[in-house]
Amino acid sequence: MSSRRRARLGEQLRRELSAKIRYLVRDPEVGPLSVTGVDVSADLWFARVFVEPHGSEDEQARTLAGLARAAPFLRSVLGRELHIRRMPELRFERDTSIEAGQRIEAILKEVLPGDDEGNGHADDGSHAEEDDR
């Protein structure tokens, strides 16, 4: 399957899983979460589903465990609704990209000169010639 078709399938799975988890999964361990992405393998055997569970570390771990238990159910529901030759096995993983981005941003703030306003321009009076017009 081409990478473009896999990306489209991943996006469709992301949308469908987001709704199915919210409305069909009855496991009390599965707390609120966001499905941030789905990466489908080239042979369609596996789909890595990236989620951002909300709550404490313990609640996040319980949510991931609940999703692992609900994966076969979700796979069967999606398999009946989507018209694809092979429904991939769902593997839920915590999405750490947001945390990584925050760490990089914190490091950049330490390394780069201070810019408190975030506009990228220092107010040092260098625009005085505009006032003379």
Side-chain angles (χ1 to χ4, degrees):
M1 179 178 271
S2 74
S3 61
R4 185 173 173 187
R5 288 183 63 203
R6 280 194 355 243
R8 282 193 346 241
L9 176 60
E11 181 58 26
Q12 184 177 15
L13 287 173
R14 185 194 65 77
R15 285 191 311 268
E16 293 290 331
L17 281 169
S18 184
K20 302 296 184 233
I21 291 169
R22 178 175 290 139
Y23 297 113
L24 297 179
V25 174
R26 301 283 186 232
D27 190 336
E29 296 290 314
V30 177
L33 59 91
S34 300
V35 179
T36 58
V38 177
D39 183 25
V40 181
S41 67
D43 58 4
L44 293 182
W45 281 94
F46 302 102
R48 292 172 47 200
V49 181
F50 296 99
V51 296
E52 182 61 39
H54 305 291
S56 68
E57 289 291 325
D58 186 47
E59 291 170 334
Q60 291 178 10
R62 286 196 311 257
T63 294
L64 286 172
L67 287 173
R69 287 189 301 272
F73 166 73
L74 291 167
R75 182 180 181 206
S76 69
V77 169
L78 289 172
R80 286 190 301 263
E81 292 183 8
L82 301 178
H83 301 289
I84 59 174
R85 182 172 292 148
R86 170 146 180 65
M87 183 63 206
E89 179 182 323
L90 303 174
R91 294 186 178 174
F92 291 93
E93 297 181 21
R94 189 165 170 265
D95 188 358
T96 58
S97 63
I98 294 172
E99 291 174 358
Q102 290 173 341
R103 277 195 309 270
I104 291 171
E105 188 174 319
I107 291 170
L108 288 174
K109 282 183 181 180
E110 290 177 11
V111 174
L112 296 176
D115 183 15
D116 294 335
E117 294 182 17
N119 59 8
H121 299 291
D123 190 24
D124 60 358
S126 61
H127 297 288
E129 64 275 355
E130 292 179 3
D131 295 334
D132 294 348
R133 290 187 212 170

